[in-house]
Amino acid sequence: MDQTVRVKNTGLRGVPVADTKISFIDGEQGILIYRGYRIEDLAEKSTFLETACLLLDGELPSEERLKSFTDEVLRAREIPAQICESLALLPKDAAAMDILQAAVPLLAIADHEISDETREANVRKAVRLIAGIPSVVAAWNRIRNRLDPLPPDPGLSHAANFLWQFHGTRPDPEIARDLEVCLVLHADHTFNASTFACREVVSTRAHMYAGVAAGVGALSGSLHGGANARVMKMLMELQSEEDVAGWVKDQLDKGQRIMGFGHAVYKTTDPRAKILREMSLRLGEKLGQPQWHRLSVAVEDAALAELDRRGKHTLKPNVDFYSASVYHLMGIPPDFMTPLFAVSRIAGWCAHIIEEKFAEAQEKPALYRPESDYVGNYCGKMGCVYQPLRERRSAPSSP
Ligand code: ACO
C-alpha cells in the first residue's frame, strides 16, 4: 500500500512534523501558551529574560538561575568590535534584515564554543545570541546613521538597554516596560515559518547559528515577520480615516492582502494583538499621537466588515497589525520593525533548535527530507539526449 502522505501545496497546514514541549496555540479559541503558561499572564507578570529562560529551560527560573542567566546575558551584550567594523563597511542603505542575517555568521565565528555540540554549550550559545542580536540591530541603526555604536548599560532591563543602544537616550521607564511586554509576546509561536526553518537547518546537525541565520531570512518575508513594516507603511500612506474604507475595498478588489490580517493557525483574533491594541491606544495618548491607533482601528473595522462581506470570516488582526503603531510610537523606523521582532524571537528559535538537537528520536524526524513530485521533462529511463551547444536550436529570446 502507498504510505505517502499527500500534503502537497498546502504549506504543511495542519500537518504535525514533530513533538514540542515549548509552546502551544489553540487557533479556534485564540490561546497561546509557552511551556504551560498563558501569554496574557507572562505579558503582565514576566520579563523578557525570565521568559527566555523559561523557553530554554522548560520551567520558570529560580531567583538564583535568573540571576546567573541575566549575568551571562549582560556579559555577552558587548559584541566584538570587528563585527561592528565589518558592518561599517557595508552600504548604509542595505536592508536591516539583510544586515542582521549577514551578522549571524560573524557572531558564530566569534563564538569560542562553536564546535561544542553538547546541550550545555548550546544553551550558552543561545544566551550569547539572545544578548548579541539586539546589540547588532542597535549597532546597525547607529552605523547607518554614521554614529558610533553605543556600549550596553548593565543597569538597564533588556528592553530598556535595547532602546538606549538604539536611540542613544535613556528610555522612559513606562515605554521600556511596554517594549519588554512586546518582547515577551513575540518570543515564541510553535512551528511558524522561521522556527521551522531553524529546526530544518539544524536537523542536518548544522550549528545553532546556521539555523538562526535561516530563521532571520524566513522572518524577513512580508507574509511572516515582514508584515509589521508593511502595516506601518500602509498607515503612513493612508494618513486619514476617511481614506480607509475605500482603500480596503480597492485592495481586496485588486486581490491584494491586508497586511497584519489573517493567520495560518488562528481563526480568531490573535491573543497578542489584543494586548498590543490596548498598548497602542495607551502609548498614543501618552505621547500625544493618538492618530496611529485611530487609523489602525479604522483599518481593522473596515477590513473586518469587507472581509466578512466576502465570506472570509476567520481573517482577523494578527500580532503584526498593532505592533506596527506600537513600535512607531517607540521611535522604531518601519525597516527596523522586523529586526525588532527577531530581537525577541531569537529566544524561541534557540529553544526550538535545542529541542530539535536533543529531543528523543521518536519525537522528531532524524533529518527533514520531504518528497516532491517531478513534473518536468522526462525522456524515459535513459534521460534526454544531450546535444552539444552548437547543435541546439536557439531558444526564443527573452522578452
Ligand atoms: N488579506 C486578504 N485576504 C487574505 C489575507 C489577508 N491578509 N490573508 C489570507 N487571505 C485570503 C487569501 O487570499 C485566500 O483567499 P482565497 O481562498 O480566495 O484564495 C484565503 O484567505 C486563504 O489564504 P492562505 O494564504 O491560504 O491562508 P493562510 O491562513 O494559510 O495564510 C497568512 C496565512 C500567510 C498569514 C495570510 O493570512 C497573509 O498573507 N496575511 C497577510 C500577511 C501577514 O499579516 N503576515 C503576518 C502573519 S503573523 C506572523 O507571521 C508573525
Side-chain angles (χ1 to χ4, degrees):
M1 201 172 69
D2 182 9
Q3 296 290 308
T4 315
V5 186
R6 292 280 144 191
V7 291
K8 229 171 46 172
N9 304 335
T10 62
L12 295 177
R13 298 288 189 284
V15 181
V17 293
D19 289 347
T20 183
K21 295 180 180 139
I22 299 172
S23 57
F24 165 76
I25 301 171
D26 181 332
E28 299 295 328
Q29 304 290 323
I31 293 171
L32 170 60
I33 280 170
Y34 297 167
R35 299 281 192 186
Y37 296 90
R38 290 284 290 253
I39 193 68
E40 294 82 358
D41 236 16
L42 292 169
E44 188 191 334
K45 298 170 190 156
S46 187
T47 61
F48 174 68
L49 289 186
E50 185 184 61
T51 297
C53 199
L54 167 71
L55 289 169
L56 287 175
D57 292 359
E59 56 187 18
L60 279 172
S62 64
E63 210 173 312
E64 197 185 359
R65 167 67 179 141
L66 184 58
K67 178 161 183 346
S68 71
F69 184 81
T70 306
D71 287 347
E72 275 181 68
V73 171
L74 294 186
R75 275 197 295 278
R77 264 190 197 146
E78 194 128 16
I79 51 173
Q82 296 95 314
I83 295 186
C84 292
E85 285 158 20
S86 306
L87 296 184
L89 298 173
L90 300 173
K92 305 288 178 281
D93 60 353
M97 281 302 273
D98 290 338
I99 294 291
L100 181 59
Q101 195 177 14
V104 174
L106 300 180
L107 291 169
I109 293 163
D111 194 315
H112 60 286
E113 289 189 298
I114 193 66
S115 51
D116 186 340
E117 276 299 336
T118 58
R119 193 178 203 290
E120 295 70 28
N122 272 288
V123 174
R124 290 193 291 272
K125 284 178 226 179
V127 170
R128 289 195 273 278
L129 275 157
I130 288 166
I133 294 285
S135 297
V136 167
V137 173
W140 178 245
N141 183 47
R142 304 277 304 170
I143 290 167
R144 74 158 185 175
N145 286 311
R146 297 186 158 73
L147 296 165
D148 288 333
L150 290 167
D153 180 340
L156 295 176
S157 72
H158 200 67
N161 180 66
F162 173 77
L163 290 170
W164 150 245
Q165 287 191 281
F166 190 88
H167 291 309
T169 48
R170 308 281 156 176
D172 174 318
E174 204 184 319
I175 293 177
R177 175 60 205 165
D178 279 335
L179 180 57
E180 196 81 22
V181 172
C182 294
L183 297 182
V184 169
L185 294 179
H186 286 81
D188 193 47
H189 212 231
T190 73
F191 270 59
N192 57 84
S194 55
T195 301
F196 185 47
C198 292
R199 291 190 70 134
E200 193 275 328
V201 167
V202 303
S203 81
T204 69
R205 302 200 181 162
H207 58 56
M208 176 175 275
Y209 292 84
V212 168
V216 173
L219 189 72
S220 68
S222 63
L223 295 189
H224 190 16
N228 55 12
R230 300 276 298 271
V231 171
M232 196 61 225
K233 285 187 186 140
M234 165 187 79
L235 296 177
M236 286 169 157
E237 277 163 26
L238 279 168
Q239 296 283 350
S240 137
E241 288 149 67
E242 282 89 73
D243 303 342
V244 167
W247 180 86
V248 166
K249 183 173 179 310
D250 190 47
Q251 285 293 108
L252 294 174
D253 285 348
K254 286 194 291 203
Q256 300 289 323
R257 293 181 178 215
I258 310 295
M259 289 294 129
F261 262 73
H263 198 274
V265 185
Y266 293 117
K267 298 304 159 214
T268 183
T269 301
D270 181 330
R272 303 166 299 175
K274 290 185 189 166
I275 297 171
L276 292 166
R277 189 185 204 272
E278 187 277 327
M279 191 184 285
S280 105
L281 170 66
R282 188 168 36 74
L283 264 182
E285 281 172 356
K286 176 185 165 80
L287 297 170
Q289 296 183 51
Q291 70 274 24
W292 301 112
H293 178 78
R294 277 208 308 265
L295 206 46
S296 305
V297 171
V299 174
E300 180 184 357
D301 290 347
L304 286 176
E306 198 57 49
L307 288 164
D308 233 20
R309 250 194 298 283
R310 293 163 196 247
K312 303 263 165 72
H313 309 295
T314 57
L315 295 177
K316 310 282 184 204
N318 59 49
V319 70
D320 283 327
F321 192 71
Y322 282 99
S323 64
S325 51
V326 164
Y327 290 166
H328 178 73
L329 290 162
M330 291 174 177
I332 306 297
D335 57 336
F336 275 83
M337 290 181 179
T338 314
L340 182 50
F341 194 148
V343 163
S344 164
R345 185 55 60 83
I346 185 63
W349 287 338
C350 291
H352 279 273
I353 287 170
I354 291 169
E355 187 174 70
E356 183 65 41
K357 282 178 177 286
F358 299 100
E360 299 294 327
Q362 69 272 16
E363 292 171 344
K364 62 178 182 62
L367 168 72
Y368 290 99
R369 204 322 181 176
E371 293 281 320
S372 58
D373 289 332
Y374 180 67
V375 294
N377 280 341
Y378 188 67
C379 310
K381 275 197 180 140
M382 301 304 288
C384 299
V385 178
Y386 178 88
Q387 285 182 315
L389 185 56
R390 64 180 177 283
E391 290 171 24
R392 273 174 238 162
R393 277 215 329 253
S394 57
S397 55
S398 48

